[in-house]
Amino acid sequence: VAGWGVISDDWPGYSLDLFSYPAHYSGDLDCVIIPHGVIMDRTERLARNIMDELGDHDIVVLCVLKGGYQFCADLVDRIKALSRNSNRTIPMRVHFIRLKSYLNDQSTEDLHILGAEDLSFLAGKNVLIVEAIVGTGKTMKTLLKHVEAFGPKMIKVAGLLVKRVPHSSACVPDYVGFEIPNRFVVGYALDYNEYFRDLNHICVISESGKLKYKI
């Protein structure tokens, strides 16, 4: 792992033999790219950065399902722990929205935003959008435009992963966990056709794994 949260293109990842993972995924994964413990440490640091910048503001956390639920739960937990042990607190409410744009390993043009029909309660509020992974940034741009229409006071975005992809729209989150190569990753609530959400680590799916769970 080189530099600040940047995982280089030639990083081979960790051998699966070093970690425990569900036996039913044997043969479906190439390597562990980010172990669970490293995710947790980085999330704690992001929580501190958020606390430093947004402490004493009421915020509404918009959790982007389904992939973002684990990162959001852990991030909110860490922020709450910091609030308990500090003079500054962040009163938070969490609201869930769901985006769907992937079929197999391809992002489709057809983006559905569910649970975001009426976000009028965001008017004048400080909003923190929590997303697991940002690729081209098209999805995030669409979502930001949608949220902005409801007149929030401020919008910040926390993204656990930013993928280095061609044609990215430079829509980079305010808080980034890791920048990763353009490989299809699963685990820690990130799925491939609904599989692999029960994997703790972030892993690279193998070609045979893609075939096995293809729709």
Side-chain angles (χ1 to χ4, degrees):
V1 182
W4 171 79
V6 176
I7 297 170
S8 63
D9 286 341
D10 56 3
W11 163 242
Y14 296 97
S15 164
L16 290 155
D17 298 339
L18 296 172
F19 301 94
S20 57
Y21 64 96
H24 50 261
Y25 293 136
S26 183
D28 302 335
L29 304 164
D30 274 344
C31 64
V32 173
I33 195 164
I34 312 174
H36 185 253
V38 177
I39 301 168
M40 299 315 285
D41 282 358
R42 184 76 190 118
T43 301
E44 192 164 340
R45 183 55 202 251
L46 290 178
R48 183 163 298 166
N49 294 350
I50 290 166
M51 191 75 175
D52 287 347
E53 287 188 27
L54 304 181
D56 301 329
H57 287 286
D58 278 33
I59 62 170
V60 178
V61 176
L62 268 191
C63 173
V64 181
L65 298 174
K66 291 180 179 176
Y69 81 81
Q70 192 64 62
F71 175 48
C72 185
D74 289 334
L75 184 64
V76 166
D77 261 0
R78 294 299 176 281
I79 293 170
K80 285 197 296 200
L82 288 171
S83 288
R84 281 196 301 271
N85 301 305
S86 139
N87 297 329
R88 308 180 77 193
T89 61
I90 299 188
M92 282 182 294
R93 328 194 247 156
V94 182
H95 185 78
F96 298 92
I97 56 172
R98 187 173 169 202
L99 302 184
K100 192 149 174 54
S101 65
Y102 269 87
L103 181 66
N104 295 321
D105 60 348
Q106 298 303 310
S107 179
T108 61
E109 290 296 308
D110 199 13
L111 177 71
H112 301 283
I113 307 179
L114 309 171
E117 295 79 13
D118 182 22
L119 296 176
S120 52
F121 63 90
L122 296 180
K125 298 284 194 302
N126 300 300
V127 178
L128 178 67
I129 297 173
V130 179
E131 169 68 292
I133 189 162
V134 177
T136 61
K138 273 193 236 161
T139 304
M140 187 51 68
K141 261 191 165 164
T142 306
L143 180 58
L144 283 170
K145 207 167 152 191
H146 186 79
V147 171
E148 277 161 8
F150 293 97
K153 183 172 159 192
M154 173 180 73
I155 306 174
K156 295 277 188 186
V157 179
L160 177 63
L161 305 175
V162 171
K163 205 185 266 195
R164 281 190 300 278
V165 293
H167 321 302
S168 75
S169 63
C171 188
V172 180
D174 304 278
Y175 308 102
V176 177
F178 303 91
E179 184 188 298
I180 63 168
N182 187 16
R183 301 172 78 185
F184 200 87
V185 293
V186 292
Y188 193 66
L190 292 167
D191 77 304
Y192 175 79
N193 293 334
E194 296 301 327
Y195 290 93
F196 300 103
R197 293 199 199 273
D198 54 343
L199 185 62
N200 262 350
H201 314 291
I202 293 175
C203 300
V204 176
I205 187 172
S206 66
E207 288 306 314
S208 59
K210 283 184 191 178
L211 281 173
K212 185 170 166 185
Y213 301 109
K214 195 173 182 179
I215 291 176

